Amino acid sequence: MIKTDMLIIGAGPTGLFTVFEAGLLKLKTHLIDALPQPGGQCSEIYPKKPIYDIPAFPEILAGTLVDNLMEQIKPFEPGFTLGERAETLDKLEDGSFVVTTNKGTQHNAPVVVIAGGLGSFEPRKPPIENIVNFEDTGVAYMIKDPEVYRDKKVVISGGGDSALDWAIFLTDVASEVTLVHRRDEFRGALDSVEKAAELAKIGKIKLITKAEVKELHGKDQLEAVVIKHTDKEKEDTYLEVDNFIPLFGLSPKLGPIGDWGLDIEKNAIKVNNARDYQTNIPGVYAIGDVNTYEGKLKLILSGFHEAAVMCQFAYQQINPGKRYVMKYTTVGGVEGFDGSKKEAKKEVVQSIA
């Protein structure tokens, strides 16, 4: 059984930053994540997509943010159980918890922190009869590595930010980009809509609206799609393609965590945000996009804030009666479990007699 001070379920940005905040308090951490690598959505869904609202970074790729977080927490030597899903939560007589994964790995800690983002995700698939036949052979529901589409003919379906942003991005990668949407209006950011329209005017994007991809053709590999128009007078459009990417979003699900007896509201875990982000189960906290409270903002920076506050209260729970005085890192520095030490150089002031 793996024992630690704080067990973190979810290795996305919020979960990773929790390692840092816990480390400052000399708390050992271990993370569980169903994905095979740390980073959550940032690694799995949009590693090459820029993020613009991380403090001090006017622009940073999601994958780079994860890399930076991994470097930041390295001195605190967190443990990882990756590629396994947290299944059950049991409370022991001593007040600690045991979390068991779907592969039977057991973890024991006095505090459990759920930082699972929006939970596990399933893509919203368009109702095309044979679409599953081309999954991994031309059909993908998310873009992980844009280079896969280098010099390829790509069709993207969707009318939101993801469809617009990737259609724009791939104009510099793919040989041909077609964006299909069932309406004339898009639900994306205005600048993205305007940029896509500009690229359509100069022929960089083939824009087809009031239409949907209804058929896929090919043998072992996707070879063509058939686009049907809302206007019945228009004939179906047959396009030879290499890749079809329907971007209709992902359906979040809490999964087994939803059966732990937590107070859940609209697929999110209710917490006490006036104090410590604790759930209705004492010793179990929820931070990041997975939690909900009045005024909640589902932003990475909000998760970072919640992690910092939560760790202060969790420390008191793990060390009852032990006094802790918070020190700013600019004063106390950062001392890792690996023996490393980061601190500001001390200025030597010499008095003059």
Side-chain angles (χ1 to χ4, degrees):
M1 184 180 294
I2 297 170
K3 292 181 179 288
T4 189
D5 295 322
M6 181 182 288
L7 182 63
I8 304 167
I9 299 172
T14 296
L16 294 176
F17 188 67
T18 302
V19 174
F20 177 79
E21 289 297 324
L24 294 179
L25 300 169
K26 307 300 182 186
L27 298 177
K28 283 282 190 179
T29 53
H30 190 94
L31 301 95
I32 302 173
D33 202 295
L35 296 175
Q37 73 284 320
Q41 294 182 63
C42 288
S43 295
E44 183 71 6
I45 301 175
Y46 48 85
K48 301 296 183 182
K49 193 171 184 179
I51 301 174
Y52 301 104
D53 59 356
I54 301 298
F57 287 97
E59 177 181 338
I60 185 170
L61 295 180
T64 303
L65 174 64
V66 172
D67 291 341
N68 289 354
L69 285 165
M70 289 295 289
E71 183 65 26
Q72 185 178 29
I73 67 175
K74 189 177 179 181
F76 298 118
E77 301 178 326
F80 288 92
T81 298
L82 299 174
E84 299 185 31
R85 183 179 63 247
E87 287 279 330
T88 60
L89 173 75
D90 297 292
K91 193 165 187 176
L92 302 182
E93 290 185 4
D94 65 358
S96 68
F97 298 92
V98 171
V99 173
T100 306
T101 70
N102 60 316
K103 294 186 179 179
T105 307
Q106 292 188 315
H107 310 75
N108 175 238
V111 163
V112 174
V113 180
I114 302 171
L118 293 172
S120 58
F121 291 86
E122 295 179 4
R124 294 190 179 101
K125 302 180 182 181
I128 301 174
E129 186 177 353
N130 62 339
I131 193 167
V132 295
N133 298 341
F134 296 104
E135 291 175 355
D136 300 323
T137 58
V139 171
Y141 304 106
M142 61 185 72
I143 296 175
K144 298 178 185 178
D145 180 8
E147 284 302 313
V148 169
Y149 307 101
R150 174 68 63 182
D151 301 325
K152 300 290 181 66
K153 295 179 180 179
V154 178
V155 171
I156 294 175
S157 280
D161 283 315
S162 187
L164 286 163
D165 291 348
W166 279 119
I168 293 167
F169 186 92
L170 290 179
T171 56
D172 293 325
V173 178
S175 62
E176 184 179 295
V177 176
T178 301
L179 178 58
V180 181
H181 183 39
R182 59 196 176 108
R183 296 190 181 94
D184 274 334
E185 303 83 16
F186 287 84
R187 294 173 283 104
L190 180 60
D191 59 339
S192 295
V193 175
E194 292 176 345
K195 179 66 173 176
E198 290 173 9
L199 291 170
K201 284 181 181 178
I202 61 175
K204 294 279 284 182
I205 291 178
K206 185 174 183 180
L207 189 59
I208 303 177
T209 58
K210 291 187 177 181
E212 295 180 84
V213 175
K214 288 294 188 180
E215 296 177 16
L216 305 179
H217 295 277
K219 294 182 180 179
D220 297 328
Q221 185 80 22
L222 181 66
E223 297 173 7
V225 301
V226 174
I227 301 169
K228 293 187 179 292
H229 300 266
T230 303
D231 185 349
K232 301 298 182 182
E233 295 182 3
K234 285 188 177 181
E235 294 185 0
D236 295 347
T237 302
Y238 181 92
L239 279 180
E240 292 185 355
V241 300
D242 299 300
N243 300 93
F244 173 49
I245 312 169
L247 297 175
F248 298 134
L250 302 167
S251 298
K253 298 182 183 298
L254 280 176
I257 292 174
D259 300 323
W260 288 4
L262 297 162
D263 192 357
I264 295 173
E265 181 180 281
K266 295 181 180 179
N267 209 46
I269 302 169
K270 293 180 71 174
V271 296
N272 177 8
N273 71 301
R275 179 175 166 82
D276 55 8
Y277 303 101
Q278 192 164 208
T279 70
N280 59 304
I281 301 177
V284 178
Y285 300 81
I287 57 176
D289 287 354
V290 76
N291 76 12
T292 186
Y293 51 84
E294 187 176 354
K296 169 70 178 183
L297 291 176
K298 292 185 181 293
L299 298 171
I300 292 175
L301 62 89
S302 298
F304 290 168
H305 162 75
E306 293 165 9
V309 173
M310 178 277 300
C311 282
Q312 297 292 321
F313 285 93
Y315 175 87
Q316 296 298 331
Q317 182 170 338
I318 295 169
N319 301 286
K322 188 174 181 180
R323 187 167 178 268
Y324 171 76
V325 179
M326 190 190 83
K327 293 181 180 179
Y328 298 109
T329 55
T330 49
V331 176
V334 177
E335 188 174 345
F337 299 150
D338 59 358
S340 63
K341 175 80 173 178
K342 290 182 180 179
E343 59 183 337
K345 291 182 178 180
K346 301 292 190 296
E347 296 290 340
V348 177
V349 179
Q350 192 171 20
S351 60
I352 300 175

